[in-house]
Amino acid sequence: MVSYAQAVLPRWHGRDGSDLASLTSEIADWSMSTAMRDLVECFDEKWPSGDVVEVLAGLEEISARCWDFRAGGERAAAVARDFSRGVTERVHAAAAALGLRHHNLPRERAYDHVLIHGGLLRGCLIRAGHAAALLDGVIDSPEVCGLGSFRPTTEPEQSMASELAVGECGDEFDAMDIALRSAFPGAVRDRETGEKSPDKPHVSFLTREYRIPIGPRLRVLAAPSSDPNRRANTADTCTFWANSVGRPDPGQKILLVTTEHFVPFQHADAIRVLGVPYGCAVETVGVDPATVSSGHLRQRLTTTNFLQETRSAIRSMQLLLSTVHTG
């Protein structure tokens, strides 16, 4: 059985507990880990030489050649590939060592904010359910916010919404709204701000608030995009939340909830757009979709999934390192 030493993801404890130099070192340790080196070798690629900036640039090029199955499209459009048993074992072991698996439980007991990353309807339901389970005795937090965009839903998502009888699901905002209400029964809509205009993703936004008899304050949002040619991405949703909804203070603790293979890239993005500029402590956990109780939602992540999100993590680490160097 293949196994590698754990490559610890970069940590950010807020301005009082972290510094940019240690963050650079942690990015280097992750990028140059044994697991990453063997992953490169597994695909008959040459390890890039140089410092961490040059290594990450080389890894990005390798990942574009070998691990990009989306070709610039949405994740749902990725083309799955079959791999040999040996390659599959090495990729799954590397994914575990690089933080793309087994990160479902947080380190702390209390957080000032819990943020749930958006995505496909299945992912939104799984993540919101995991957040609700954590808040049921594992952690405390006064606020939960589901992050999303105006990305139109796919036909499979709409079919799932119909099968589950959860109501209209025209875009990612609807998906996250459905997920929050499913995870937190009894939520009553309170107020709403913004305008839902999918044709103008770079200027449109929407925030909806809910109240529940006992528990955290609930919000769901669709963020504007920083690029008129695409929907809002992870960084856009986190930035919009911080600027317009959460307004976090230095020293506060933020927990982000996602699916396990997205943890490294979304964690790096969160440190870059929330941790460094706002001085907040940032932690990210991810649920394994193969372990959820609902058969409708259960899903086993594939070798393609892990390779694609290793590429995403490399690119996010590049952006984070650039922020560190200019910060």
Side-chain angles (χ1 to χ4, degrees):
M1 183 175 179
V2 183
S3 63
Y4 304 98
Q6 191 68 37
V8 178
L9 290 173
R11 298 177 182 176
W12 188 257
H13 303 292
R15 294 203 183 278
D16 294 336
S18 303
D19 60 70
L20 298 178
S22 64
L23 195 56
T24 299
S25 176
E26 290 167 356
I27 294 171
D29 289 346
W30 182 88
S31 305
M32 301 181 187
S33 63
T34 302
M36 186 68 79
R37 288 176 182 272
D38 193 64
L39 199 55
V40 168
E41 181 182 310
C42 182
F43 285 83
D44 298 322
E45 291 284 339
K46 182 180 178 181
W47 181 258
S49 61
D51 62 13
V52 62
V53 174
E54 294 168 315
V55 167
L56 278 170
L59 290 174
E60 197 281 329
E61 292 176 2
I62 292 169
S63 72
R65 287 194 296 270
C66 303
W67 309 332
D68 185 9
F69 311 101
R70 295 170 54 183
E74 294 282 351
R75 284 179 169 82
V79 179
R81 276 189 53 190
D82 293 326
F83 297 91
S84 69
R85 179 175 178 179
V87 169
T88 296
E89 288 181 354
R90 290 167 74 178
V91 169
H92 284 238
L98 291 168
L100 284 79
R101 303 180 67 189
H102 315 314
H103 269 273
N104 62 321
L105 293 176
R107 294 187 298 269
E108 305 290 338
R109 180 68 178 80
Y111 295 85
D112 298 285
H113 308 277
V114 173
L115 306 182
I116 305 169
H117 281 299
L120 300 177
L121 175 60
R122 182 197 304 273
C124 291
L125 288 165
I126 290 172
R127 295 164 202 163
H130 189 56
L134 291 175
L135 286 157
D136 187 20
V138 179
I139 63 170
D140 293 317
S141 180
E143 177 179 320
V144 174
C145 186
L147 309 179
S149 72
F150 286 126
R151 174 192 62 80
T153 49
T154 62
E155 185 175 337
E157 288 177 276
Q158 294 169 11
S159 296
M160 176 176 283
S162 178
E163 184 177 354
L164 296 176
V166 292
E168 182 182 354
C169 187
D171 56 35
E172 188 179 302
F173 177 87
D174 291 336
M176 182 55 75
D177 187 72
I178 289 168
L180 270 187
R181 288 188 284 108
S182 298
F184 297 91
V188 177
R189 187 185 297 193
D190 193 359
R191 56 180 177 175
E192 186 174 292
T193 58
E195 181 180 358
K196 185 175 180 178
S197 181
D199 296 331
K200 300 177 181 179
H202 59 297
V203 296
S204 302
F205 69 93
L206 189 62
T207 301
R208 183 175 294 162
E209 296 187 22
Y210 288 92
R211 50 186 171 81
I212 52 179
I214 300 176
R217 176 171 51 186
L218 303 178
R219 289 191 179 103
V220 57
L221 64 81
S225 174
S226 59
D227 182 344
N229 297 311
R230 59 162 174 77
R231 66 171 178 84
N233 60 19
T234 295
D236 290 333
T237 60
C238 287
T239 299
F240 178 72
W241 170 82
N243 290 339
S244 304
V245 178
R247 304 187 185 281
D249 295 321
Q252 288 192 330
K253 297 176 182 178
I254 300 175
L255 178 68
L256 298 104
V257 181
T258 187
T259 306
E260 63 174 6
H261 61 318
F262 297 143
V263 166
F265 106 76
Q266 292 186 324
H267 181 63
D269 283 350
I271 293 175
R272 176 170 59 88
V273 301
L274 297 178
V276 174
Y278 290 92
C280 299
V282 173
E283 186 179 353
T284 308
V285 296
V287 60
D288 180 355
T291 64
V292 298
S293 58
S294 171
H296 289 93
L297 303 180
R298 195 177 305 123
Q299 182 183 35
R300 187 170 298 279
L301 296 175
T302 67
T303 304
T304 300
N305 295 141
F306 289 127
L307 290 171
Q308 184 72 62
E309 299 317 319
T310 298
R311 169 169 165 74
S312 298
I314 290 166
R315 301 177 77 188
S316 290
M317 293 293 176
Q318 283 184 292
L319 292 172
L320 176 57
L321 188 62
S322 177
T323 296
V324 171
H325 285 177
T326 59

